[in-house]
Amino acid sequence: SFGWLLLAAGMVGLGSSVFHPESARVARAASGGRYGLAQSVFQVGGNAGSALGPLAAAFVVLRFGQGSIAWFSGVALLAMAVLWGVSRWYAARSRAKVAVAPRASGLSRRKVGLTVGILVALLFSKFFYVASLNTYYTFYLIETFGVSVQASQLLLFLFLGAFAVGVLAGGPIGDRVGRKWVIWVSILGVLPFTLALPYADLFWTAVLTVVIGLVLASASSAIIVYAQELLPGNVGLVNGLFFGLAFGMGGIGAAVLGRLIDLTSIEAVYRLCAVLPAIGLLAAFLPDMRRAAA
């Protein structure tokens, strides 16, 4: 029933919210100093799973019905077994580790607060736009181009697959050239493509969403690691704050956009969302963390 679906979705969300902040800390601990790469590898697991979701819907759920969703619980049980081993490794490492004072960011408290505010605004831009595609892209394709449900799921898979590739690429690039520049190019750089999307035909819609996924996703790990460097010694706080904002904004964005679609149309909402990446201009005010620390 609808009520049980809501309860199940809420439990999945609760588990995810508990898992992500501490797991991001474990990824940083296992990074060997390559924090962007480690964060990208960690996040790409979730994004790859999300990308496979539409394929599961197209070829399993649509074919065998709602009850087939329970089959995927086996994957969750396997993940629990893997995480049990990871937790034992991390617990042993934490007991053996000698406490080291974190390196200061080199910024004043006021500058840190302003920078956190900019990062929150950038997350708002990113995840509200991503919510418009994650949640309503298939409906847009069906309503605008008349494609089948299965075809719309395959096109959603293309977008989410590109998003996963972008997440994986963004971390190592940030390690090499600096995270500020990855954030700047990722969020603002996607603007021409989002502006063109509402006016494209089916072929170019598929192409544009792949480009949007690749470019926009590259900031995912860069924002987290940048914030960790901004607030050294508060990795758990940073992870909880930014993962919480990411998931929360995605959920709120889906609800708000759904209401706007009811009041207007799905095409109008996509034209409105197209300007959200312009908030990426705020990235110009982010300090260079490597220079500040030096």
Side-chain angles (χ1 to χ4, degrees), residues 46-61 72 153 156-157 160:
N47 284 280
S50 297
L52 292 173
L55 291 184
F59 295 107
V60 179
V61 180
F72 298 102
Q153 294 291 330
L156 178 60
F157 164 74
L160 294 174

Side-chain angles (χ1 to χ4, degrees), residues 43 47 118-134 159 163-164 166-167 182-183 186-188 190 194 212-224 242-243 245-247 249-250 253 257 273 275-280:
Q43 290 190 25
N47 284 280
I118 292 173
L119 291 175
V120 169
L122 295 176
L123 278 179
F124 166 81
S125 165
K126 179 178 184 292
F127 283 98
F128 252 67
Y129 189 80
V130 169
S132 74
L133 287 174
N134 277 350
F159 164 70
F163 199 92
V167 168
V182 173
I183 296 169
S186 170
I187 297 181
L188 186 61
V190 83
T194 61
I212 289 168
L214 282 169
V215 177
L216 192 59
S218 61
S220 297
S221 58
I223 290 175
I224 296 293
F242 283 89
F243 278 112
L245 284 172
F247 295 136
M249 287 182 181
L257 295 176
C273 289
V275 303
L276 284 173
I279 297 175

Side-chain angles (χ1 to χ4, degrees), residues 30-221:
S31 67
R34 301 181 69 184
Y35 301 124
L37 173 62
Q39 194 63 224
S40 285
V41 172
F42 164 59
Q43 290 190 25
V44 82
N47 284 280
S50 297
L52 292 173
L55 291 184
F59 295 107
V60 179
V61 180
L62 285 176
R63 181 177 179 183
F64 297 105
Q66 180 179 316
S68 62
I69 295 172
W71 300 349
F72 298 102
S73 298
V75 181
L77 291 171
L78 176 62
M80 289 169 64
V82 173
L83 286 174
W84 178 260
V86 172
S87 67
R88 295 183 65 186
W89 168 82
Y90 186 60
R93 181 187 183 280
S94 299
R95 286 193 296 269
K97 185 179 178 182
V98 178
V100 178
R103 185 177 66 176
S105 68
L107 301 174
S108 67
R109 180 173 296 184
R110 180 177 179 275
K111 187 69 172 179
V112 168
L114 179 62
T115 304
V116 169
I118 292 173
L119 291 175
V120 169
L122 295 176
L123 278 179
F124 166 81
S125 165
K126 179 178 184 292
F127 283 98
F128 252 67
Y129 189 80
V130 169
S132 74
L133 287 174
N134 277 350
T135 312
Y136 299 108
Y137 183 45
T138 54
F139 300 107
Y140 175 76
L141 293 170
I142 293 168
E143 185 174 316
T144 306
F145 302 111
V147 302
S148 67
V149 174
Q150 192 171 57
S152 72
Q153 294 291 330
L154 291 174
L155 289 169
L156 178 60
F157 164 74
L158 285 179
F159 164 70
L160 294 174
F163 199 92
V165 173
V167 168
L168 186 60
I173 294 173
D175 287 338
R176 184 177 295 272
V177 305
R179 281 167 258 286
K180 172 182 175 178
W181 306 110
V182 173
I183 296 169
W184 169 266
V185 172
S186 170
I187 297 181
L188 186 61
V190 83
L191 182 61
F193 306 106
T194 61
L195 290 173
L197 181 63
Y199 307 99
D201 61 18
L202 179 59
F203 171 78
W204 284 108
T205 293
V207 171
L208 287 170
T209 51
V210 167
V211 175
I212 289 168
L214 282 169
V215 177
L216 192 59
S218 61
S220 297
S221 58

